[in-house]
């Protein structure tokens, strides 16, 4: 637990703010890339951040059909989960298992957010959240395969392993591909983004307005940043070392995700599960053969 001795609250707060700004700019960049590919000028790159701040000053509206304590608390919990994952992962380089646990609880939170408002649209989004979890959780098991390769789940030790033995993307390429598919599923407007498909308005977020929507968007921004950071750290930890390296790597991945989202239509929910399971099985085969 030596990594806990490095806790510095002002530094930690600065890192959280930095992650929020970078994550928001990356999501704005993805929208810009999608728009350019589709022949539109698109919004400015800072638009996602502006939208988030805009909701903080708008009137809070809570549906009559909602379970009010749960409606508010579960959104706050979602933010808390990603703040915890950010602290344990990018800031402290601590146990990967806690980051994985935060993501797993996040999937439960998506389901709860949809149910709490009582809207049929959000209920459909929450049902799809459960369905998508059946596809994404096997991909999280890829992290266990990283453990069998490195014999550790401490992120700082995984980085050190890659410095000595080379990046894991060369040793477990199909595992890296499976985790990349997970990134695709969490990127907005992606072919696997079934939980907020336009056919159900905005999915589980349809009935969230005002400051509650702003808090929800902040959690999504931090989650996107953490997932990008984990992918780069787990599979390119021996190459990417400095903050600038991470920013460049995250930017490249975001541009690739933008291309995928712009050129690939959203697949049907059950097809999404099937495709992601295929990549999970390939990752397991890769781990067995290596």
């Amino acid at each position: 637990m030596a990594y806990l001795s490095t806790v510095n609250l002002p530094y930690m707060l600065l890192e959280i703010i930095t992650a929020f700004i970078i994550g928001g700019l990356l999501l704005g960049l993805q929208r810009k890339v999608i728009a350019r590919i589709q022949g539109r000028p698109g919004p400015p790159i800072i638009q996602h951040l502006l939208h988030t701040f805009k909701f903080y000053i708008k009137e809070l509206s809570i549906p009559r059909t909602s379970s009010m304590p749960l409606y508010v608390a579960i959104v706050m919990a979602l933010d808390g989960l990603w703040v915890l994952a950010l602290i344990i992962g990018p800031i402290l380089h601590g146990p990967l298992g806690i980051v994985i646990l935060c993501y797993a609880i996040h999937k439960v939170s998506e389901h709860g957010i949809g149910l709490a408002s009582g809207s049929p649209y959000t209920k459909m989004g929450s049902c799809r959240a459960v369905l998508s979890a059946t596809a994404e959780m096997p991909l999280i098991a890829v992290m266990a395969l990283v453990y069998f390769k490195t014999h550790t789940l401490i992120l700082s030790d995984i980085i050190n392993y890659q410095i000595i033995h080379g990046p894991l993307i060369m040793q477990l390429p199909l595992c890296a591909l499976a985790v990349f598919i997970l990134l695709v599923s969490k990127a907005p407007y992606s072919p696997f983004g079934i939980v907020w498909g336009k056919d159900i308005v905005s999915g589980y977020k349809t009935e969230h307005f005002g400051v509650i929507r702003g808090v929800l968007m902040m959690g999504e921004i931090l989650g996107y940043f953490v997932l990008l950071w984990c992918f780069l750290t787990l599979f390119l930890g021996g190459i990417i070392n400095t903050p600038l390296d991470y920013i460049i790597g995250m930017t490249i991945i975001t541009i690739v995700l933008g291309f995928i989202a712009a050129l690939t239509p959203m697949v049907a929910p059950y097809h999404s599960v099937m495709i992601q399971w295929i990549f999970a099985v390939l990752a397991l085969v890769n781990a067995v053969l290596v």
Side-chain angles (χ1 to χ4, degrees), residues 135-243:
E136 295 169 11
M137 288 308 162
L139 299 181
I140 298 300
V142 171
M143 308 308 176
L145 306 179
V146 172
Y147 171 79
F148 289 121
K149 189 69 179 178
T150 63
H151 304 292
T152 181
L153 278 180
I154 304 299
L155 287 162
S156 58
D157 294 337
I158 294 174
I159 294 172
N160 292 333
Y161 173 92
Q162 293 179 87
I163 291 174
I164 298 172
H165 299 94
L168 286 176
I169 196 170
M170 303 302 296
Q171 304 171 47
L172 299 171
L174 294 180
C175 291
L177 178 60
V179 178
F180 180 78
I181 296 299
L182 175 64
L183 294 180
V184 174
S185 72
K186 298 309 297 177
Y189 317 109
S190 81
F192 303 127
I194 59 175
V195 295
W196 47 60
K198 295 303 180 184
D199 56 328
I200 50 173
V201 190
S202 295
Y204 66 86
K205 301 182 292 184
T206 301
E207 296 290 346
H208 289 75
F209 312 100
V211 65
I212 290 293
R213 184 61 171 264
V215 172
L216 184 56
M217 290 181 69
M218 179 180 175
E220 291 174 350
I221 289 172
L222 293 179
Y224 184 73
F225 179 91
V226 171
L227 290 176
L228 288 180
W229 184 91
C230 285
F231 177 81
L232 292 171
T233 300
L234 288 176
F235 297 105
L236 294 166
I239 299 173
I240 296 179
N241 298 304
T242 67

Side-chain angles (χ1 to χ4, degrees), residues 247-258:
I247 292 175
I248 294 173
M250 290 177 178
T251 301
I252 293 172
I253 292 176
T254 297
I255 292 173
V256 173
L257 293 177

